Structure formats: structure tokens, C-alpha cells
């Protein structure tokens, strides 16, 4: 059998990659060795940048409607709330999604699978990758089917979305440097009552063991996520909720009525040395894993998938040279390394032991944090970072120029409008040009001659406030990042950009 892209692993990363590629007309196969989608979930958070990208897949409204909006995070000390950071007032001028969205991974996977099936793609369950050979012009993979029979599959490319124990990564030999946290993590989905079961996120700072309460959709439903580091960590396999429940009850005033799920696991902080080797790519947990601080893992894997999908489609469609695919590693590996380093620092602070660390967490932070987050630049920075809307590809091969405060490689600034916003045209997974103000006549003709999408927005003060330049040209990639920002607004800048990279910006067929 032959396919364009063979995707190993049907978690959110692999499923989003498959969905994007399928919508762009690329033939995919998705295989997974499990018998069914996950029925439990560690990943909960869907951040603003992911929801923005999900507008392109017509998924954002569903996730928002069927999940739970978290309006604020609260810090607790000595059994009492000590500080509160509201999200809505922080991000309302930055994104259409100024909140933390809770949408558990098991529901997430079911949604993606359902959308894929509507497009005629079914996940091939109990199908395991045995080996593959990277043959230069194609990849040949050996798959073990549910009946034990081995099948050969030829693919133009393989995408390893097969998790932390990735066979694809191990076969490539790209390594997985990093380390393992000595703490044992636990998760417990509970039905409960109490002061911290109010739909908001609550974090306890009292001890070196981490503890947080995440709200779930539904009355009185929540997830407890915590760590243990004492002798209990040596017996993780036998750890039960009863061994850790007293802290939640005492410190965050959680009255647990029923435990629906409890699990323990170890967490690593690692990044593989290469995200691409010939025709083979690594995405998601196969490429990088880190602490759950900030709920970044699933969102980062989805970002990997979106970044790679449009590039694979362009190369397979003959609109770009193979060298375009090198930019996947260039753009994503730096972010993964920074993310691992950042989440490691945050988690290390939250779990540091000793008298000084305890004083900082329980006495200094509760006093300083409310004052610091009362400053708009600080709130803005925290929201931008956690929501991933600050992620950019500045200074990289596909990023050129600047106009106003917007550089090539930036996420396009979001500007609300009357009835719609400037992100509405981005639902099309195509290259397009935005002009805020007036487009030059030669640019209008250039786009008309090529049937290229040009969107001109009448100039408003909000555009200037967002950092956009009047009458400038912004060439947007299919993943909604700015490829080229040119203050002159002349189309020859686009011609130079494409010629230097061997790109043809013809729009792919839309479904």
C-alpha cells in the first residue's frame, strides 16, 4: 500500500496532523497500536493560541462550548486563598479566547477522530510499526496488523507522533537528552465540594509537594494534580488516593465525595536532538516532554502538527522545494528547548525544599504576587507566555522584514471588529495578504492576476494599538504566522520572497 504521509500514533498531535493534511488534499494513514482511544486523560488545558489555530479546522467553537472556561488562577497559603490572577481582563485585547479552556484529552481525541472519519480517514487500531527504512525517495514501513500479519507500506514521509517511548525516535537514533523528576505525579478525577471547587484553578504553595485543583465541566467535578517526594514516591505502583487525600482536604478545603479515576506517573524533561531525519519527522511527546507546569504539552504537540502540515502539503503538491521541510525543525526545536527550560524552572521553584524555599513560597510570593500582577505589562507577559500567543519565528529562514511593531515570524496581532475580526479570513489554510489601510494599486492587480487572496481592512486606531502599520503588506503563511512584513506595500517584495525560497503561492484546493 502507498500513502503520502504515514502517521504513527493517534493522540492529539497525530490526529491534528492527519486532519490538517486531509483538508489540504494529502493522502494519509494513521496507525496506533492501542485497541481504542484513551478513556482517561492527563492533558486538560487548551490554550488561546491552539483555539486560534482550531478556527481553521472549525473546532474552536465546539471545544469552547463543550469544555470549561477557567476565568482565574488562585494561590493558596496555609489553607486560605492568598492571591488571584483573572485571565479575562488580561487577554481581552489580545485574543478572542482570553481564558484557559479545560477540554480533557480523551474528549479531545474523540472529537478529532469524529472529524477525521467524516473526511473518510479512519484510525487503524491495533496496528504497530515494526520497522522502517528511509530510502531517499520514499520510506518503507513494516506494520503488524491486528491479526499478526505484517504488511509493507510505502510512504513519501513518516511522522512519528508515537509518544515519549517513540519507536520512530529510537529507530532514528536522535537521542532524548534530559532527565527525570524524582517526584511521583498523581492525578485524581473527583466529584467534590468546597471553597476551591468553584470553576477556577487553585494552586497550593504550602509545601514542596505540588498540588493543584483544575475545574472540569459539570457541577462539582475537578481534577487534582499533585506530587509526592517522600517514602511514598518509592512505592508509586501501590500509591492510592487515600495516601495523598489529606493534603487536598486540609490545604484547599476539598470535600471529596467520589474518586472516578486515580493514576500515578513519572515526568521527564527531554528534547530530542533532531526533529527531522530525511523523510522522517518527530512531533509532540516523541520530540519533547516536560513537566505539566502551565499545561503546555498537548498544545505544543498540536503546534508541531500545524507547523509541519502545511509544509508537507506544499512540498507534496509541488509548490515548494524539499528544503522547506528543514524549517520545521528550525522553528520548533528552539521553542521546545525554551519551553522545557521554562517549565523546569517553574516546577523546580514550586517544589524546592528547605526553609528558605518555604519562606519564599508561603510568605514572600503571596505578598509580592498580587502587587506584581497588578501591573499591566506583567499580566500581559504572563498571559502571552502561557497562552503561547507570544511564540514567534523571528530571525528564521521563512521570516522576513517588519512593519510597525510586527516582524516576519510573528503571530498576526488579533484585532476585533464589528461583527467579525481580522482572523476571520485565516480560516482558509492558504497563503494570503493583509493590508490595514489602503492597498497599492499594483498590489491589487498582482493579487487579481494570480487569483491570490488579498484582504484590505479600513484603517482604525485599534490596528495601530495592535502594532500594525498603515498601508503595509503582511504576507501570511497557511498557519497564520507572518512570513513577510513590508512597510512599502509593494508586491515585488512578495516576488523576491518567493524566488529566494523557491515557493509558488498558489492556493491549494479547499474542501
Amino acid at each position: 500500500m502507498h500513502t503520502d504521509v504515514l502517521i504513527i500514533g493517534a493522540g492529539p498531535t497525530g490526529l491534528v496532523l492527519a486532519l490538517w493534511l486531509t483538508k489540504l488534499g494529502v493522502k494519509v494513514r494513521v496507525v496506533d497500536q492501542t485497541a481504542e482511544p484513551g478513556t482517561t486523560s492527563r492533558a486538560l488545558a487548551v490554550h488561546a493560541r491552539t483555539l486560534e489555530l482550531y478556527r481553521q479546522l472549525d473546532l474552536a467553537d465546539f471545544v469552547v462550548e463543550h469544555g470549561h472556561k477557567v476565568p482565574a488562577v488562585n494561590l493558596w497559603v496555609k489553607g486560605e486563598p492568598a492571591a488571584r490572577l483573572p485571565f479575562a481582563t488580561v487577554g481581552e485585547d489580545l485574543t478572542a479566547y482570553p481564558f484557559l479552556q479545560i477540554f480533557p484529552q480523551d474528549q479531545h481525541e474523540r472529537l478529532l477522530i469524529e472529524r477525521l472519519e467524516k473526511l473518510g480517514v479512519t484510525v487503524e487500531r491495533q496496528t504497530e510499526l515494526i520497522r522502517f527504512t528511509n530510502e531517499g525517495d520514499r520510506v518503507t514501513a513494516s506494520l503488524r496488523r491486528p491479526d499478526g500479519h505484517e504488511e509493507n507500506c510505502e510512504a513519501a514521509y513518516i511522522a512519528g507522533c508515537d509518544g515519549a517511548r517513540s519507536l520512530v525516535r529510537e529507530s532514528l537514533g536522535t537521542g532524548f537528552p534530559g532527565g527525570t523528576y524524582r517526584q511521583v505525579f498523581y492525578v485524581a478525577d473527583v466529584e467534590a465540594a468546597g471553597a476551591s471547587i468553584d470553576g477556577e484553578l487553585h494552586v497550593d504553595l504550602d509545601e514542596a509537594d505540588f498540588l493543584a485543583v483544575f475545574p472540569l465541566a459539570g457541577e462539582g467535578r475537578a481534577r487534582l494534580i499533585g506530587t509526592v517526594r517522600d517514602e511514598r514516591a518509592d512505592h508509586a505502583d501501590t500509591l492510592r488516593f487515600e495516601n495523598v487525600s489529606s493534603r487536598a482536604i486540609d490545604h484547599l478545603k476539598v470535600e471529596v465525595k467520589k474518586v472516578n479515576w486515580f493514576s500515578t506517573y513519572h515526568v521527564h524533561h527531554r528534547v530530542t536532538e533532531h526533529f527531522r531525519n530525511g523523510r522522517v519527522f518527530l512531533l509532540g511527546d516523541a520530540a519533547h516532554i516536560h513537566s505539566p507546569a502551565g499545561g503546555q504539552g498537548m498544545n505544543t504537540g498540536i503546534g508541531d502538527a500545524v507547523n509541519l502540515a502545511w509544509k508537507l502539503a506544499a512540498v507534496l503538491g509541488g509548490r515548494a522545494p524539499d528544503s522547506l521541510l528543514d524549517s520545521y525543525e528550525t522553528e520548533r526545536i528552539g521553542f521546545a528547548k525554551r519551553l522545557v527550560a521554562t517549565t523546569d524552572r517553574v516546577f523546580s521553584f514550586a517544589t524546592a525544599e528547605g526553609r528558605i524555599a518555604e519562606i519564599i513560597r508561603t510568605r514572600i510570593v503571596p505578598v509580592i504576587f498580587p502587587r506584581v500582577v497588578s501591573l499591566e505589562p506583567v499580566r500581559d507577559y504572563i498571559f502571552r507566555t502561557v497562552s503561547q500567543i507570544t511564540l514567534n519565528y523571528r530571525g528564521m529562514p521563512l521570516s522576513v522584514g517588519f512593519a510597525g511593531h510586527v516582524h516576519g515570524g510573528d503571530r498576526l496581532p488579533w484585532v476585533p471588529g464589528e461583527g467579525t475580526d481580522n482572523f476571520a479570513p485565516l480560516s482558509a489554510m492558504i497563503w494570503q495578504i493583509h493590508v490595514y489601510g489602503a492597498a497599492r494599486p499594483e498590489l491589487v492587480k498582482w493579487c487579481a492576476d494570480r487569483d491570490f487572496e488579498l484582504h484590505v481592512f479600513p484603517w482604525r486606531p485599534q490596528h495601530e494599538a495592535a502594532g500594525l502599520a498603515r498601508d503595509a503588506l503582511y504576507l501570511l503563511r497557511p498557519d497564520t504566522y507572518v512570513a513577510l512584513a513590508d512597510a512599502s506595500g509593494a508586491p515585488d517584495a512578495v516576488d523576491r520572497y518567493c524566488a529566494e525560497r523557491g515557493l509558488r503561492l498558489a492556493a491549494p484546493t479547499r474542501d
Side-chain angles (χ1 to χ4, degrees):
M1 297 184 67
H2 177 82
T3 191
D4 291 331
V5 181
L6 175 62
I7 299 172
I8 312 299
T13 299
L15 294 170
V16 169
L17 178 63
L19 195 51
W20 247 85
L21 288 171
T22 302
K23 281 183 168 284
L24 292 178
V26 175
K27 183 180 179 182
V28 303
R29 286 184 70 183
V30 187
V31 303
D32 194 288
Q33 61 183 341
T34 62
E36 60 183 9
T39 56
T40 57
S41 168
R42 292 175 189 164
L44 289 176
V46 181
H47 290 302
R49 185 57 182 148
T50 300
L51 289 170
E52 290 177 350
L53 295 170
Y54 268 13
R55 285 179 71 170
Q56 296 183 290
L57 296 172
D58 194 27
L59 294 173
D61 289 346
F62 185 95
V63 172
V64 171
E65 181 182 351
H66 292 84
H68 175 78
K69 292 181 184 179
V70 179
V73 58
N74 300 269
L75 303 182
W76 286 58
V77 172
K78 302 188 184 308
E80 297 294 335
R84 182 177 184 271
L85 172 62
F87 293 125
T89 56
V90 180
E92 60 187 359
D93 294 330
L94 302 174
T95 178
Y97 308 100
F99 45 81
L100 172 64
Q101 183 71 11
I102 298 297
F103 191 67
Q105 184 176 331
D106 51 345
Q107 295 176 242
H108 206 144
E109 289 182 14
R110 290 197 299 271
L111 170 63
L112 295 171
I113 289 168
E114 175 189 314
R115 296 297 175 90
L116 264 176
E117 289 177 344
K118 288 181 178 179
L119 296 176
V121 178
T122 301
V123 175
E124 300 175 44
R125 294 284 174 188
Q126 294 179 288
T127 302
E128 182 181 3
L129 175 69
I130 304 302
R131 70 189 73 87
F132 63 87
T133 54
N134 203 343
E135 300 179 7
D137 61 342
R138 65 188 184 282
V139 181
T140 300
S142 295
L143 305 174
R144 180 177 292 130
R145 305 290 294 170
D147 60 3
H149 174 71
E150 284 195 21
E151 168 205 332
N152 286 332
C153 174
E154 284 191 356
Y157 299 97
I158 282 186
C161 307
D162 48 342
R165 295 182 176 87
S166 170
L167 176 63
V168 178
R169 185 190 64 245
E170 292 177 5
S171 300
L172 291 177
T174 56
F176 213 25
T180 304
Y181 293 108
R182 60 188 181 87
Q183 294 94 338
V184 169
F185 282 75
Y186 65 84
V187 292
D189 280 0
V190 301
E191 296 174 21
S196 59
I197 311 298
D198 62 353
E200 298 189 356
L201 171 59
H202 298 264
V203 180
D204 177 41
L205 296 178
D206 271 3
E207 298 179 7
D209 284 342
F210 175 79
L211 175 62
V213 177
F214 287 80
L216 300 175
E219 184 70 24
R221 296 186 62 237
R223 170 167 299 174
L224 309 182
I225 300 179
T227 64
V228 294
R229 57 184 167 78
D230 52 24
E231 64 277 359
R232 293 172 296 174
D234 298 327
H235 305 284
D237 292 341
T238 59
L239 198 65
R240 298 292 179 264
F241 180 70
E242 293 73 22
N243 303 127
V244 298
S245 60
S246 61
R247 175 140 178 250
I249 294 170
D250 296 340
H251 290 226
L252 292 177
K253 295 184 168 58
V254 178
E255 180 188 344
V256 177
K257 299 178 180 178
K258 182 181 179 182
V259 179
N260 294 320
W261 176 54
F262 180 79
S263 181
T264 62
Y265 57 100
H266 286 277
V267 171
H268 310 265
H269 45 99
R270 304 178 185 274
V271 182
T272 191
E273 294 175 349
H274 294 287
F275 284 20
R276 182 192 186 190
N277 185 327
R279 291 180 171 269
V280 184
F281 300 87
L282 297 171
L283 300 83
D285 286 356
H288 46 78
I289 50 177
H290 37 80
S291 96
Q296 301 293 308
M298 181 174 65
N299 293 270
T300 305
I302 291 170
D304 292 343
V306 173
N307 184 286
L308 180 60
W310 72 266
K311 297 172 182 177
L312 283 172
V315 173
L316 286 163
R319 299 184 300 276
D322 179 79
S323 58
L324 174 67
L325 298 174
D326 290 335
S327 67
Y328 165 66
E329 176 176 311
T330 303
E331 293 182 344
R332 297 303 296 180
I333 197 169
F335 173 62
K337 289 179 177 178
R338 292 193 302 273
L339 178 61
V340 168
T342 300
T343 55
D344 182 60
R345 286 195 296 270
V346 171
F347 181 71
S348 296
F349 164 76
T351 59
E353 299 179 39
R355 180 62 178 164
I356 294 178
E358 181 183 346
I359 290 173
I360 293 174
R361 275 198 309 271
T362 62
R363 298 184 184 180
I364 297 178
V365 170
V367 174
I368 297 298
F369 184 77
R371 297 177 181 176
V372 170
V373 298
S374 68
L375 304 174
E376 184 174 348
V378 175
R379 296 199 309 271
D380 180 270
Y381 173 79
I382 292 173
F383 182 81
R384 285 179 180 269
T385 301
V386 174
S387 67
Q388 297 196 358
I389 64 175
T390 194
L391 168 63
N392 67 79
Y393 304 126
R394 288 188 183 185
M396 297 184 185
L398 298 183
S399 306
V400 176
F402 69 93
H405 296 292
V406 179
H407 291 242
D410 286 356
R411 159 193 172 268
L412 179 71
W414 174 77
V415 182
E418 296 181 5
T420 185
D421 56 28
N422 67 325
F423 273 30
L426 303 182
S427 59
M429 300 173 175
I430 58 174
W431 291 86
Q432 58 187 269
I433 291 173
H434 283 202
V435 174
Y436 297 84
R440 293 174 60 154
E442 57 266 39
L443 176 62
V444 175
K445 183 178 186 303
W446 186 95
C447 291
D449 290 346
R450 292 160 178 79
D451 193 25
F452 193 87
E453 287 211 11
L454 170 64
H455 296 277
V456 181
F457 300 84
W459 182 254
R460 297 190 291 124
Q462 292 91 329
H463 295 141
E464 182 177 16
L468 295 159
R470 189 168 189 168
D471 303 339
L473 177 159
Y474 296 99
L475 174 65
L476 299 174
R477 303 170 5 168
D479 61 355
T480 76
Y481 284 91
V482 178
L484 167 69
D486 183 77
S488 75
D492 56 353
V494 182
D495 287 328
R496 286 194 303 271
Y497 178 90
C498 296
E500 291 169 358
R501 291 159 184 81
L503 300 175
R504 289 194 302 109
L505 302 187
T509 302
R510 293 183 243 179
D511 56 44

